[in-house]
Amino acid sequence: MSLCQEGINDIKPSETVFKPRNDETRDESDAMGILTKSRAVCAVCNRLYREPKILPCLHTFCSDCIRQLEPFSVCRLDGDRGSPEDGSAILCPECDSEVDLPPSGVDGLSTDHLALDEVFAETLRVESSVVCDLCSDGEAGKRCEVCSVNLCDFCSLAHRKQKRTSSHSIQTLEELKSLGRLTRPVLCSLHPDQELRLFCESCDLTVCLECVASFHRDHHCRSAREVVSHYGDRMRDLVVRSLKPRLTRLEESLRQVDTSQEALQAHTDALAGEIRLFARAYASAVEAHCCSLLRSLEELSNRHKNQLNLQKAQLQQAFADVHSGVDFTERLLTSGSDAEILSVKGVTLRRLVNLVESGFDPHPATIACESARTICFLPQESAGQVEGFPVVGVIHAKTVNPSKCTIQGEGVERGHEGQQGEFTLVCRDSSGEQVARGGEPVLVSIVHKERKACSLEASVVDNNDGSYGVSYTPAEPGPYSVWVCVKAQHVQGSPFVLNVKRKLRRHCGIFHCCSFCSSGGAKEALCGCPGTM
């Protein structure tokens, strides 16, 4: 075996080795500044990928960086938390998702061949010179796309003369720099000179010709180009039909949250200005009261901001998860070779299906936008005394609590056929105090308990003081179920039972005493007219 061929066999096919010349090494801080936003850089170590592995969440990191992550698992009895090599779970440094490692540990994860392509392209862009991978002396000016090695002119000639490598495609590094993306074959780890061109459906594995002849002789193997269309169409369908529309909805939801935050801040600023104008009319005691009011307002505003920030964080996380999955899949389908797509199709499909089935997917219309309306300033209400002076003006943040709302009036329990019934709903906050404003979504439903098709139309009038007048006119007697809801929640005591009595008829004609007497004096006895006695 020649020196050239020995050098090729010493290089792992899954790695790309780049060795800059010692006399041309860049300042490390400058180089890292150039590579910070590159897809060829690991987000953990901020260096070019080395043995990049894809986690189940479709985020890529160096294999050594994954091994250094602390396992996310329950402590054992002996206090040992294990290591990522034990097949335990870890937290993804990118999205904080809990991901399970395969039983074989980090080595069992799929290799990100797209990241290796990016590493080589980035090295060509940044490094002024690359050392030959075979002789380690000359400056490499060419690259064998089959062996994935950089070659100087001498080694390139020797590479072409070798019978085994004479048909390999060799390009100059300048030609590769001009390409939008580096394309290179994926070689078999067992047979480094063979490209993965076949797919064993029995083992669900990409294989080379020698693998088929040696280990998969009786298995059902097909060309990778024939198989990739099925999985590629499945990935593309998940992205186009489910995940891209969800991205649109998540973007709209994020805009809704941003709008709510801006409205809350604007409302907070407006109230702060109103409070300051009111406080300037007083002396030092009133100024102290003004500061107290501002502190209260800030606390309430921060409380609502925290709620909105939590909602925004959930939406951002969902958006980031879907966006990363869509971005990775689109790059894979657009730029990946057949072997590259098939080598990661398992983890990619699992992630896409997981995003489709269990991802956070709220409708933008459900995003709360009423946080600012719950805060109000009442300048005429007494606030007690400050430094011996009576002051007015208080901050209220009353929110209607449906479980504290009450019903007033007998019309919610008793009624008469053909006569209008009335009752009043009083909205209260968590402390039981009446909310001094209207505008709440109130729903009243009155349905006959025995005849579900029989329902009453209820009229709700907002009195703009926290109370709502409800009226109805029953057409038929019997028991009714009365639902009274505020913000789609039942108020205290709801649903109520409304008993509607039959309308009494005046007796007309002759009293038939025999009927009354024969009934034993029953009040329900029917007269011959017929009428109720």
Side-chain angles (χ1 to χ4, degrees):
M1 183 179 294
S2 67
L3 173 64
C4 181
Q5 187 61 41
E6 290 176 357
I8 294 175
N9 292 339
D10 291 338
I11 298 176
K12 295 181 180 180
S14 61
E15 298 180 355
T16 305
V17 181
F18 307 107
K19 296 176 287 185
R21 300 180 65 89
N22 294 332
D23 57 347
E24 296 179 355
T25 303
R26 280 184 170 81
D27 180 78
E28 184 175 358
S29 61
D30 294 340
M32 291 313 299
I34 297 175
L35 299 175
T36 299
K37 296 183 179 180
S38 171
R39 288 176 177 170
V41 176
C42 175
V44 175
C45 63
N46 287 329
R47 298 180 183 276
L48 290 175
Y49 284 118
R50 294 188 64 83
E51 294 187 52
K53 297 291 185 178
I54 304 175
L55 293 179
C57 58
L58 301 187
H59 291 129
T60 301
F61 305 97
C62 300
S63 58
D64 288 339
C65 294
I66 299 176
R67 290 188 181 95
Q68 294 173 4
L69 297 176
E70 184 177 358
F72 186 76
S73 58
V74 180
C75 293
R76 303 171 184 170
L77 295 177
D78 57 2
D80 183 14
R81 293 181 61 89
S83 68
E85 295 296 335
D86 297 331
S88 56
I90 60 173
L91 288 180
C92 173
E94 186 77 17
C95 64
D96 287 334
S97 298
E98 181 181 349
V99 294
D100 295 324
L101 295 179
S104 57
V106 177
D107 293 335
L109 294 172
S110 300
T111 299
D112 190 346
H113 296 283
L114 292 178
L116 288 176
D117 295 344
E118 295 286 353
V119 169
F120 180 60
E122 187 67 24
T123 302
L124 292 180
R125 186 181 69 84
V126 176
E127 300 295 344
S128 59
S129 63
V130 180
V131 176
C132 177
D133 288 327
L134 298 186
C135 66
S136 300
D137 293 329
E139 180 177 339
K142 298 180 181 180
R143 177 175 174 82
C144 175
E145 290 197 297
V146 178
C147 301
S148 299
V149 293
N150 304 319
L151 305 171
C152 64
D153 292 338
F154 176 79
C155 292
S156 175
L157 292 175
H159 202 68
R160 291 186 182 277
K161 292 180 179 180
Q162 290 287 329
K163 181 177 181 181
R164 194 173 185 179
T165 60
S166 60
S167 62
H168 289 189
S169 173
I170 297 179
Q171 287 185 288
T172 65
L173 296 183
E174 292 299 326
E175 291 175 349
L176 293 177
K177 287 182 181 180
S178 63
L179 296 176
R181 172 190 170 274
L182 171 67
T183 57
R184 64 181 187 83
V186 180
L187 303 181
C188 179
S189 59
L190 299 178
H191 309 96
D193 59 335
Q194 291 290 321
E195 184 177 353
L196 298 176
R197 295 178 178 272
L198 301 173
F199 182 75
C200 177
E201 296 185 342
S202 303
C203 301
D204 194 28
L205 187 68
T206 50
V207 294
C208 68
L209 288 172
E210 292 190 18
C211 286
V212 173
S214 304
F215 310 110
H216 306 267
R217 186 184 301 273
D218 299 326
H219 295 181
H220 183 56
C221 298
R222 298 170 59 190
S223 169
R225 184 172 297 277
E226 296 177 2
V227 181
V228 74
S229 60
H230 169 72
Y231 295 103
D233 291 343
R234 178 80 191 284
M235 297 177 193
R236 190 177 294 104
D237 184 69
L238 288 171
V239 169
V240 174
R241 291 180 178 271
S242 300
L243 296 180
K244 278 198 171 181
R246 183 183 297 180
L247 274 179
T248 302
R249 294 193 297 270
L250 288 171
E251 287 177 342
E252 178 63 25
S253 298
L254 285 171
R255 285 193 292 269
Q256 291 276 8
V257 172
D258 290 336
T259 302
S260 297
Q261 288 181 318
E262 292 174 0
L264 175 62
Q265 187 60 49
H267 188 69
T268 301
D269 294 342
L271 288 178
E274 183 181 348
I275 293 170
R276 291 190 182 94
L277 289 174
F278 170 74
R280 289 193 186 100
Y282 288 86
S284 60
V286 180
E287 187 65 26
H289 179 52
C290 173
C291 295
S292 176
L293 290 173
L294 291 174
R295 285 194 298 269
S296 299
L297 174 62
E298 189 66 20
E299 291 175 359
L300 293 172
S301 177
N302 288 336
R303 189 182 308 166
H304 290 296
K305 284 180 180 178
N306 291 337
Q307 295 174 353
L308 288 173
N309 286 335
L310 177 60
Q311 191 176 52
K312 183 176 182 178
Q314 292 175 328
L315 291 169
Q316 285 177 330
Q317 185 61 61
F319 178 82
D321 290 344
V322 176
H323 184 271
S324 64
V326 171
D327 181 67
F328 177 86
T329 305
E330 288 183 336
R331 282 199 303 115
L332 179 65
L333 297 176
T334 303
S335 304
S337 65
D338 296 345
E340 289 172 344
I341 294 175
L342 291 175
S343 65
V344 296
K345 56 89 180 174
V347 64
T348 304
L349 283 174
R350 285 193 297 274
R351 178 57 173 171
L352 295 178
V353 171
N354 179 266
L355 288 173
V356 171
E357 294 179 350
S358 60
F360 181 55
D361 189 15
H363 195 278
T366 63
I367 301 302
C369 303
E370 300 180 356
S371 299
R373 294 171 49 192
T374 61
I375 307 175
C376 60
F377 174 55
L378 305 179
Q380 302 301 326
E381 187 170 339
S382 175
Q385 291 188 345
V386 175
E387 298 179 0
F389 294 91
V391 293
V392 294
V394 293
I395 287 290
H396 277 280
K398 293 183 178 181
T399 303
V400 174
N401 186 341
S403 64
K404 297 292 184 178
C405 297
T406 57
I407 300 296
Q408 298 177 353
E410 297 181 353
V412 75
E413 296 179 346
R414 291 186 292 272
H416 293 86
E417 177 185 2
Q419 297 182 11
Q420 179 174 293
E422 299 177 345
F423 61 88
T424 302
L425 166 65
V426 180
C427 291
R428 304 182 185 277
D429 60 12
S430 298
S431 62
E433 296 183 2
Q434 181 173 341
V435 177
R437 67 173 187 275
E440 299 294 339
V442 176
L443 172 64
V444 178
S445 174
I446 305 177
V447 180
H448 202 289
K449 299 184 68 174
E450 297 175 352
R451 285 174 285 183
K452 300 301 182 182
C454 178
S455 61
L456 303 183
E457 182 178 353
S459 173
V460 180
V461 178
D462 187 353
N463 298 323
N464 295 318
D465 59 356
S467 66
Y468 300 81
V470 181
S471 60
Y472 61 92
T473 303
E476 296 184 22
Y480 286 79
S481 178
V482 181
W483 287 31
V484 182
C485 300
V486 178
K487 294 183 177 180
Q489 299 182 43
H490 285 284
V491 302
Q492 182 179 355
S494 178
F496 302 92
V497 177
L498 169 63
N499 291 313
V500 176
K501 294 184 177 181
R502 186 182 300 275
K503 183 178 180 181
L504 296 179
R505 295 174 54 193
R506 289 183 175 273
H507 186 273
C508 56
I510 303 173
F511 285 91
H512 296 76
C513 297
C514 57
S515 300
F516 181 77
C517 296
S518 62
S519 67
K523 295 182 178 179
E524 293 80 10
L526 296 178
C527 184
C529 58
T532 302
M533 299 291 291

